[in-house]
Amino acid sequence: MRLSWHTYQYYPYERALALREVTSLLKATSTHAFDGGIEINRYEDADSAGQLTYFAGYVNGRGYTQTVQARLEDSKKRQATRYSVHGLHEYKGKFNPQIVRAILNIFDVCPSQRVFDPFCGSGTTLVECVHRGALGYGTDLNPFAVYLANAKLLALTTPAARLKSILQTLATRFRQTRRWTTTVKNDVRGTYLQSWFDPHILQLIEIVADKIKAAAGNLAPIFLSIASNLLRDYSLQDPHDLRIRRRKSPLPETPFIDTFLFAAAHFLERVESAQSVLGVKKRAGEAILCDVTALKQKKKFRQFFDAALTSPPYAMALPYIDTQRLSLVWLGLLTADRILGLESELIGSRELRGSQRRDIIGHMHGNKAGLPKAQAAFCVTLQEALTPADGFRRKAVPTLLYRYFASMQESFQSIRTVMKPAAPFALIIGHNHTVLGGVRYDINTAAHLASIANNVGWKVDELIELQTYHRYGYHMNNSVGAETLLILRNQ
Ligand SMILES: C[S@@+](CC[C@H](N)C(=O)[O-])C[C@H]1O[C@@H](n2cnc3c(N)ncnc32)[C@H](O)[C@@H]1O
């Protein structure tokens, strides 16, 4: 059998994962490369070739067949990442969907098996599980992440024709609306939104939300997510700044309604195209609002998982809540006065309140969290490297890192309680560094997390470097930076 590469440029790691997929999915024992693909001579399971991620198609006795992935991506030049429902909404720190599918294949996850993403964010893993026929469940502490993930699953399980007809109804109702004025309440939500939107735009998006809810009923989260993705652009917030700053640039010239209808039509085209490949899925998993350290308390997790897969938050992570505050408040998922509180509860948060820094330094010196010696010592080394010249952000780094390691240890413990024996767990983890006292310290987060996971009973199977340079001619410094795939096993 001959397997052909996609026409897009590959990162070196993608070719390496491609070969692993072939081994696990097709049980191939003999492969060799030819120009444009690889040839496999001995294999057990030919039918699985159609499920491969990093191949466009295969030739066997019955001619050329495109893979499901090639049909979903439907792109020649670049690797598509917004196919199917993936492009519903921006989410910082989103996974590359192809790597998720490849890992599912490498773990040989069968349709109907249960997969868990403990930090599911906007649901990339859950969506890829649906594509593969598996049941993906996820947890996240950010209500907006859970909302988006479930909206994507909803879109995959609803016929595109039904969604298109709702959009038509909406377009008609928008056209027929003469007065776009309404009263925005002066409650906590309204007052907050008034400070971030021009009054006309705020009234308009409030009316849009009401019309979406009336026309779409239980499917409203799909359309509200599409509208939410435009909020920043139409707000008084600088759309190009992760932090919340007032914009200097003018508001977009295109009316909000036109942009919304265009974005919705485009999204529904993608849903329709995915459903033409996969059919309308009858069942999908679910994203659940839950702290990963409290899994035991959830009934849903009494049935154990066959595999887990995630991109965890990083130490000193992106401010997930802060960057999405407009959407969180507009959708009524969080009150404005809870923004900072929730941000500080996320693993990897940079928020240190009251005496927290002093308390954690005390814990660090006595290693109260019971971290492996090397990780506790690393944090102490960083603490001792600080000089008076380091500003308050740098001074917080060793403390934040210790707290991050302790929370991740607790997470690893908690995740084990919901996994089957010998179940694999893949984590994609970026590298990091810091400069303290004028000296650069590399933080090999993947190696640290491997040691911490091992400390609470996970077996470390592999650490695979994901080489991400050379695509589209970028130099390594300009690319997403080196990441590691850590593979653990429950024992
Ligand atoms: C790197 S992101 C995951 C992105 C996801 N892979 C995607 O494709 O959208 C990490 C996620 O961890 C979540 N998180 C942080 N602390 C958490 C906790 N204690 N319990 C559950 N989720 C948490 C954050 O809200 C964030 O969505």
Side-chain angles (χ1 to χ4, degrees):
M1 181 192 292
R2 286 190 144 207
L3 303 168
S4 48
W5 299 121
H6 292 279
T7 44
Y8 60 70
Q9 274 191 303
Y10 280 65
Y11 285 134
Y13 82 81
E14 290 169 330
R15 298 242 166 164
L17 293 184
L19 296 182
R20 283 174 180 251
E21 277 191 90
V22 170
T23 312
S24 60
L25 215 56
L26 282 82
K27 318 279 181 269
T29 48
S30 158
T31 61
H32 66 264
F34 69 91
D35 210 12
I38 63 166
E39 186 162 329
I40 51 177
N41 295 322
R42 285 194 300 276
Y43 52 88
E44 282 176 17
D45 187 358
D47 290 342
S48 302
Q51 296 300 334
L52 291 166
T53 313
Y54 292 119
F55 294 95
Y58 58 98
V59 179
N60 59 8
R62 283 169 281 156
Y64 182 79
T65 311
Q66 253 194 325
T67 56
V68 170
Q69 185 65 18
R71 293 170 65 204
L72 283 173
E73 287 187 38
D74 193 23
S75 153
K76 297 242 162 2
K77 278 199 184 140
R78 295 197 162 211
Q79 185 187 66
T81 51
R82 287 159 188 249
Y83 59 92
S84 181
V85 292
H86 287 303
L88 177 66
H89 203 290
E90 292 306 317
Y91 194 80
K92 300 286 163 203
K94 213 183 316 198
F95 257 160
N96 167 281
Q98 281 82 359
I99 197 167
V100 175
R101 187 181 179 103
I103 293 168
L104 293 176
N105 283 340
I106 291 167
F107 285 169
D108 205 5
V109 167
C110 311
S112 84
Q113 277 192 332
R114 287 163 55 89
V115 177
F116 181 45
D117 185 341
F119 302 102
C120 73
S122 62
T124 310
T125 304
L126 313 194
V127 168
E128 285 303 317
C129 283
V130 175
H131 289 176
R132 195 66 189 85
L135 274 178
Y137 287 85
T139 47
D140 206 290
L141 202 46
N142 175 358
F144 184 53
V146 171
Y147 186 88
L148 288 180
N150 285 328
K152 289 179 186 174
L153 300 181
L154 195 57
L156 283 173
T157 46
T158 309
R162 166 124 177 73
L163 297 174
K164 282 185 152 183
S165 121
I166 292 173
L167 185 59
Q168 262 186 358
T169 308
L170 270 175
T172 313
R173 292 193 187 166
F174 289 157
R175 244 194 337 268
Q176 288 166 346
T177 304
R178 293 281 161 260
R179 278 190 60 224
W180 286 94
T181 51
T182 184
T183 312
V184 178
K185 282 196 199 133
N186 283 327
D187 55 7
V188 183
R189 175 181 174 278
T191 311
Y192 182 77
L193 293 174
Q194 280 165 30
S195 65
W196 285 109
F197 287 94
D198 167 280
H200 299 297
I201 293 192
L202 179 56
Q203 291 179 46
L204 185 131
I205 58 173
E206 292 289 76
I207 295 171
V208 166
D210 286 343
K211 290 194 184 297
I212 288 177
K213 285 176 199 159
N218 69 331
L219 300 172
I222 300 169
F223 296 93
L224 288 171
S225 299
I226 296 167
S228 150
N229 203 26
L230 308 174
L231 284 188
R232 240 184 124 112
D233 271 353
Y234 283 84
S235 73
L236 299 176
Q237 194 176 307
D238 185 343
H240 305 296
D241 200 331
L242 262 190
R243 285 283 173 186
I244 311 298
R245 297 215 165 83
R246 294 241 154 214
R247 75 187 300 150
K248 296 199 177 69
S249 55
L251 286 165
E253 279 179 14
T254 313
F256 182 88
I257 298 287
D258 293 358
T259 311
F260 167 77
L261 290 174
F262 181 82
H266 190 54
F267 176 73
L268 296 189
E269 289 302 325
R270 286 184 178 150
V271 174
E272 188 170 48
S273 155
Q275 290 182 353
S276 73
V277 177
L278 305 163
V280 182
K281 291 290 176 178
K282 289 215 169 47
R283 56 185 202 144
E286 190 185 346
I288 295 153
L289 185 66
C290 172
D291 187 329
V292 73
T293 57
L295 298 176
K296 258 194 179 161
Q297 293 151 22
K298 292 272 161 188
K299 267 202 200 129
K300 292 245 157 88
F301 299 129
R302 300 251 163 91
Q303 214 183 328
F304 295 129
F305 290 101
D306 299 280
L309 164 53
T310 201
S311 61
Y314 297 158
M316 292 151 278
L318 299 162
Y320 290 102
I321 303 297
D322 207 24
T323 53
Q324 295 150 354
R325 48 162 90 187
L326 293 181
S327 295
L328 278 159
V329 174
W330 184 63
L331 292 166
L333 299 170
L334 195 70
T335 52
D337 52 355
R338 273 283 292 145
I339 293 170
L340 283 183
L342 182 59
E343 187 83 71
S344 70
E345 287 163 29
L346 294 189
I347 296 177
S349 157
R350 300 175 199 209
E351 302 289 326
L352 284 171
R353 306 179 132 199
S355 63
Q356 272 186 324
R357 181 162 171 256
R358 221 185 28 244
D359 297 347
I360 298 170
I361 293 174
H363 294 173
M364 185 196 299
H365 284 289
N367 190 15
K368 233 178 161 184
L371 293 180
K373 275 194 189 129
Q375 280 61 51
F378 182 63
C379 296
V380 172
T381 305
L382 296 186
Q383 180 66 28
E384 287 170 355
L386 290 170
T387 64
D390 289 309
F392 81 101
R393 278 193 195 286
R394 291 208 168 133
K395 281 208 170 72
V397 167
T399 326
L400 292 176
L401 193 63
Y402 188 83
R403 181 171 73 178
Y404 169 74
F405 284 162
S407 308
M408 285 305 293
Q409 178 157 287
E410 223 186 310
S411 306
F412 283 125
Q413 252 164 341
S414 173
I415 295 163
R416 266 193 81 204
T417 65
V418 298
M419 304 301 298
K420 286 188 180 166
F425 179 14
L427 296 99
I428 306 224
I429 305 158
H431 296 191
N432 211 332
H433 74 268
T434 184
V435 177
L436 302 177
V439 179
R440 179 188 158 116
Y441 292 86
D442 284 305
I443 306 177
N444 187 342
T445 311
H448 289 304
L449 292 188
S451 161
I452 289 168
N454 187 246
N455 195 38
V456 291
W458 287 93
K459 180 174 166 287
V460 179
D461 264 6
E462 267 188 284
L463 283 149
I464 303 163
E465 291 304 317
L466 304 179
Q467 305 293 345
T468 52
Y469 47 93
H470 290 328
R471 177 131 82 192
Y472 316 131
Y474 288 154
H475 183 263
M476 181 130 172
N477 288 343
N478 298 333
S479 70
V480 275
E483 294 190 311
T484 300
L485 169 58
L486 165 63
I487 300 187
L488 305 170
R489 202 163 285 276
N490 192 13
Q491 53 176 5

